Amino acid sequence: MLMHDLVIRSRRVALPEGIRAASIAVQDGKIAELADYDAVLAAAATTDLADLVVLPGLVDSHVHVNEPGRTEWEGFATATKAAAAGGVTTIVDMPLNSLPPTVTVPHLATKQAVAAGQCHVDVAFWGGAIPGNLPSLRPLHEAGVAGFKCFLSPSGVDEFPPLGLGEMEQVMRELVEFDGLLVVHAEDPVRLRDPVDGTYRAFLDSRPGAAEKAAVQEVIALAELTGVRAHILHVSAAACLEPLAAAQARGVRITAETCPHYLTLSAAEASSTAFKCCPPIRDAGNQDALWQGLADGVLSCVVSDHSPCTPDLKEGDFATAWGGISSLQIGLPAVWTAAAERGFRLTDVVRWMAAAPAELAGLPHKGRIAVGCDADLVAFDPWAPITVDPGALAHKNPITPYGGRELRGLVHATWLRGRVVGNGRPPAGRLISLHHNRIGNNV
């Protein structure tokens, strides 16, 4: 009988076909066998989790780590500690707000060198598409980025300017040559304006849903013209759902995501600048429509858009404060709490927060409990009550709109390739190269 490295048993394992009792055998960091709960399996170590649910490690494909250059905002050590504590075993780092941004191969190498030795979970990287870096796109793809992010409106940092529509078409035509993926911050700059004052209402009015919808329609038109794979980031406006659904129905290669804050927070709750993000959190009726978009499959992923900053940048009012929300560690309980209240199942949350982001980023060995996948696993108590304490979160700056919020869902342990991570253990994450699924050395 084969001696496995580890067997994890639970009466509730979230498999692709549903939740059932099972034993998971791990060998060399991979899931080697799935068997009945009481199966006799030889192993160097066995863990019986009884009625705790075993989830696949979540995949968060929208994280701003900000290192190097703005490491005081966040960093690979703190971001990946927060991820592990929240049941996230893989993150995909955005090409901004680091200095330098990930828009050339040397800039990617700089970021990878800084990340080495710090990561508590696996880390992949997005490249950036900005004016003037068209010749760098194929080399970045060959160097292993998951795809390319662009903005249609100002990004908030000068070193990552937006693309005009003509420039975006050029980028799409380049990417389609090697089946690259373009992920888009879609807000039409013509429809954005400065807030008339520092209130949340003025900020919300300055970034209307019509700006999102117009930009989404522009991306759809160019994706349909060029045949590129495109993905709309952080959909906040329900007005985007109809054009996305219509495009998907006629075969346009376009997907879309939303974020925990759009699903769980509303404009009426925006009592401090911790709630400020771009695009903004909208009203409760809009939120209902986003949940329907998930139910219909128009929105496929729920990811954090973890965009932290230092406390001083959140000072002032809604006109001047930095726009970004930190939720990497608490996305799972936040989304699960709201999903359960609306009648969704835990398997739905797993699909939105693990399987679909893994598929988007080109990670077939992540996001599922299946033979051959990485043994990235989470022991989760879905009904345990928790109260969000910002000071107890692992990300670098204790700023979150979820402070004091009562949620359900407690992560008891997180395994990365069969090894427990977090809770003071040394970093065990790897840097992932997406091209041809090459995986880097331990970092």
Side-chain angles (χ1 to χ4, degrees):
M1 182 181 293
L2 176 65
M3 175 67 73
H4 297 294
D5 297 329
L6 172 68
V7 169
I8 296 175
R9 305 180 191 276
S10 169
R11 295 185 183 91
R12 302 181 68 197
V13 177
L15 301 170
E17 64 271 19
I19 293 178
R20 66 171 177 86
S23 296
I24 304 165
V26 179
Q27 189 70 37
D28 298 326
K30 298 282 188 181
I31 297 173
E33 185 178 352
L34 292 171
D36 292 338
Y37 173 76
D38 55 359
V40 177
L41 297 170
T46 299
T47 297
D48 192 331
L49 296 172
D51 291 321
L52 290 179
V53 182
V54 179
L55 306 178
L58 305 187
V59 177
D60 193 333
S61 57
H62 196 148
V63 178
H64 294 269
V65 177
N66 303 337
E67 187 177 16
R70 292 189 175 95
T71 310
E72 69 275 14
W73 294 16
E74 190 60 279
F76 284 101
T78 49
T80 57
K81 281 181 184 177
V88 177
T89 52
T90 305
I91 65 171
V92 190
D93 172 63
M94 281 291 168
L96 74 163
N97 302 303
S98 57
L99 290 169
T102 315
V103 294
T104 67
V105 171
H107 289 180
L108 173 64
T110 296
K111 184 173 284 193
Q112 290 171 325
V114 169
Q118 296 199 71
C119 299
H120 295 267
V121 302
D122 287 355
V123 180
F125 300 89
W126 295 109
I130 63 172
N133 84 322
L134 194 68
S136 293
L137 301 184
R138 185 184 287 269
L140 277 165
H141 172 76
E142 293 172 352
V145 300
F148 300 89
K149 180 177 185 177
C150 73
F151 282 75
L152 294 181
S153 56
S155 70
V157 291
D158 292 341
E159 68 275 4
F160 204 96
L163 297 176
L165 291 179
E167 292 167 320
M168 186 170 67
E169 181 180 345
Q170 288 182 311
V171 166
M172 288 182 171
R173 292 192 181 281
E174 176 69 9
L175 297 190
V176 80
E177 291 297 315
F178 50 85
D179 199 29
L181 172 65
L182 186 66
V183 301
V184 185
H185 180 124
E187 288 182 287
D188 180 0
V190 174
R191 290 169 170 80
L192 303 181
R193 55 187 180 273
D194 293 332
V196 297
D197 58 40
T199 64
Y200 190 77
R201 172 48 58 187
F203 169 65
L204 185 58
D205 289 345
S206 75
R207 304 186 87 101
E212 268 191 90
K213 181 180 180 181
V216 165
Q217 289 172 318
E218 290 162 345
V219 175
I220 288 169
L222 288 175
E224 194 160 18
L225 176 68
T226 63
V228 79
R229 291 189 297 136
H231 178 77
I232 304 298
L233 299 165
H234 48 49
V235 172
S236 81
C240 300
L241 297 174
E242 187 279 328
L244 282 167
Q248 291 165 355
R250 62 179 184 268
V252 181
R253 301 170 75 196
I254 192 159
T255 54
E257 70 188 34
T258 192
C259 304
H261 39 277
Y262 301 129
L263 297 170
T264 64
L265 305 174
S266 69
E269 300 173 82
S271 56
S272 74
T273 55
F275 287 79
K276 182 179 178 180
C277 58
C278 299
I281 295 165
R282 305 188 189 277
D283 63 43
N286 182 88
Q287 183 183 99
D288 292 342
L290 293 179
W291 281 104
Q292 189 60 49
L294 284 168
D296 295 340
V298 180
L299 303 174
S300 55
C301 303
V302 179
V303 290
S304 70
D305 190 9
H306 181 72
S307 185
C309 66
T310 53
D312 59 296
L313 293 177
K314 279 292 189 183
E315 293 176 355
D317 57 29
F318 284 103
T320 59
W322 174 260
I325 285 179
S326 300
S327 65
L328 179 55
Q329 185 171 338
I330 51 181
L332 173 57
V335 172
W336 164 240
T337 300
E341 291 173 352
R342 291 172 178 267
F344 292 99
R345 300 168 299 173
L346 193 53
T347 49
D348 296 318
V349 175
V350 168
R351 185 175 70 254
W352 302 330
M353 302 187 76
E359 182 178 2
L360 173 74
L363 294 164
H365 55 298
K366 298 289 188 182
R368 297 177 296 130
I369 299 177
V371 172
C373 288
D374 287 356
D376 299 347
L377 304 167
V378 179
F380 184 63
D381 183 346
W383 303 115
I386 62 172
T387 302
V388 179
D389 175 3
L393 299 176
H395 63 252
K396 183 164 289 185
N397 293 291
I399 307 166
T400 174
Y402 291 96
R405 198 173 182 94
E406 302 289 336
L407 302 173
R408 289 191 179 275
L410 179 65
V411 172
H412 281 259
T414 302
W415 289 263
L416 180 68
R417 292 185 304 280
R419 297 174 58 183
V420 177
V421 291
N423 295 321
R425 293 173 177 83
R430 295 179 179 177
L431 306 186
I432 301 177
S433 172
L434 276 294
H435 190 51
H436 301 310
N437 297 312
R438 295 193 306 266
I439 302 181
N441 296 324
N442 286 325
V443 300

